[in-house]
Amino acid sequence: ERTPRGYSVAMGYYYDDGDAFNFYLAIWGGDHCHVGIYTPEEEAQNLQATAGAEKGENTESDTILLASHRALEKILELSKPAFEGKSEGLAMDMGSAYGGCARALSQEYGCKVVCVELSKRENEINLQRNIELKMQDKIIIPGELSFLDTQQEAGVFDCCVSEDSILHAGKARPAVVAEAARILRKGGLFVFSDIMQKDCVDTSTLKDVYDRIGLEDMGSPAKYIEWASQAGFQLKRYEDFSSQIAVHYGKILKMLEGPTREKLRGKVSDEYITSMMKGLRAWVAASHAGSIVWGFFVFEKL
């Protein structure tokens, strides 16, 4: 079982590792690092990154970025009530990566956002983007922090968001939910998406899924609702987008089966890509089987 400290060390190392860092930066482009929401037309597309892309045709990468932005827009939509009537609210992004969600929150609602991220290299990209956009006064990056221990004042945040990050906390997921409850004011919102296992799934069928992200299990909708209730939250809303997992990871797999793999040569090792492709196939298969789910939660602090 991973302790909170063990989680922090492992995930900080993983996302700062050259292969992982370069892979995620290349695939998502340096703003997003999460599952996307695809239109029916995009789900049906059979795209390849070809020379035609230079003439303006969509590529799998373009489609992934568009879908990632729609997922971000869903987070913004669900977060809106937390900032109503406030001239300058205060938010936290747990697992903020490159800061795309934090900047969007600030631009949309005029709030300040504290970014909680373990990866030093991702924090550096976040800061660089903020300086380029003159947003360094709005986006606060305290340093490399775990969302198990954010070191922020209790009861002062209007909203806490997270995009597909809490699964990485392993057995410490309940502590993440409790930390969100600690930093939020009464009536504040905890809005997040996460990839989960289906309630009551046979976990023995998910070994290859767990192996890809170095976990022993994942959360589930029922577990998050239970942990949130124990932490002093009430569920306001849950929206299921589980079908998007197979679409999203299927598109990344397609990129790696095509020209993208060659473009990554020298930046990402062949061993890493081969392992990633094995993991992606497992995730697509598990999604088609209904064993893993993806959705958006809104919890209100009582």
Side-chain angles (χ1 to χ4, degrees):
E1 179 174 325
R2 290 186 178 181
T3 64
R5 177 174 172 77
Y7 151 77
S8 300
V9 171
M11 292 315 301
Y13 173 80
Y14 177 79
Y15 282 106
D16 277 342
D17 173 73
D19 278 340
F21 178 81
N22 291 335
F23 177 81
Y24 286 100
L25 187 62
I27 297 297
W28 274 270
D31 264 326
H32 307 290
C33 194
H34 52 80
V35 177
I37 297 174
Y38 296 81
T39 66
E41 292 77 18
E42 289 167 348
E43 291 184 35
Q45 285 170 350
N46 183 24
L47 301 174
Q48 284 285 1
T50 65
E54 298 175 3
K55 299 177 182 179
E57 295 178 10
N58 277 346
T59 65
E60 295 286 11
S61 180
D62 296 330
T63 306
I64 288 169
L65 292 179
L66 286 170
S68 295
H69 188 71
R70 292 190 197 100
L72 170 61
E73 289 178 332
K74 174 58 67 174
I75 290 283
L76 296 180
E77 170 200 328
L78 297 175
S79 301
K80 183 177 180 179
F83 303 106
E84 290 176 347
K86 290 187 170 288
S87 58
E88 185 180 64
L90 181 62
M92 175 181 290
D93 185 355
M94 286 183 161
S96 50
Y98 313 117
C101 181
R103 286 186 291 277
L105 269 175
S106 183
Q107 289 164 340
E108 185 74 13
Y109 301 118
C111 58
K112 287 188 175 181
V113 186
V114 175
C115 291
V116 175
E117 174 57 55
L118 285 167
S119 168
K120 184 176 188 298
R121 297 179 74 180
E122 290 183 356
N123 280 334
E124 288 171 350
I125 290 178
N126 188 359
L127 178 59
Q128 179 183 343
R129 297 274 198 276
N130 298 336
I131 291 172
E132 290 169 356
L133 295 170
K134 295 181 171 57
M135 295 186 69
Q136 60 267 43
D137 292 336
K138 285 286 193 179
I139 311 300
I140 298 111
I141 307 171
E144 287 66 64
L145 292 176
S146 165
F147 46 42
L148 300 174
D149 179 17
T150 65
Q151 300 178 25
Q152 301 302 302
E153 186 178 350
V156 298
F157 286 79
D158 300 298
C159 187
C160 179
V161 301
S162 184
E163 295 178 294
D164 302 352
S165 292
I166 303 175
L167 77 158
H168 294 297
K171 299 293 186 181
R173 293 180 198 103
V176 179
V177 177
E179 178 67 359
R182 186 189 70 81
I183 60 99
L184 284 168
R185 62 168 171 80
K186 182 177 180 180
L189 298 183
F190 186 24
V191 179
F192 68 94
S193 62
D194 209 19
I195 306 169
M196 302 163 279
Q197 61 194 36
K198 182 181 179 181
D199 294 319
C200 302
V201 72
D202 179 359
T203 57
S204 67
T205 66
L206 294 177
K207 181 181 183 302
D208 288 341
V209 170
Y210 300 149
D211 285 349
R212 179 186 163 251
I213 48 178
L215 295 175
E216 299 173 359
D217 67 359
M218 302 165 84
S220 71
K223 281 295 185 182
Y224 274 119
I225 292 169
E226 175 188 339
W227 298 330
S229 177
Q230 292 170 349
F233 285 114
Q234 68 172 353
L235 178 68
K236 300 291 287 184
R237 190 169 176 178
Y238 174 70
E239 294 192 28
D240 182 81
F241 286 86
S242 296
S243 65
Q244 301 297 308
I245 298 176
V247 180
H248 183 77
Y249 288 115
K251 287 186 178 295
I252 295 174
L253 180 59
K254 194 175 189 64
M255 289 177 68
L256 296 178
E257 291 171 339
T260 297
R261 181 163 189 166
E262 185 60 33
K263 292 178 181 178
L264 291 173
R265 192 175 299 279
K267 300 177 181 177
V268 181
S269 70
D270 285 342
E271 292 79 7
Y272 182 90
I273 293 177
T274 298
S275 176
M276 176 62 72
M277 292 173 72
K278 177 184 177 182
L280 291 173
R281 291 188 184 101
W283 281 56
V284 170
S287 177
H288 285 312
S291 299
I292 55 177
V293 298
W294 181 57
F296 293 75
F297 293 90
V298 180
F299 290 105
E300 180 181 5
K301 183 176 176 180
L302 297 174

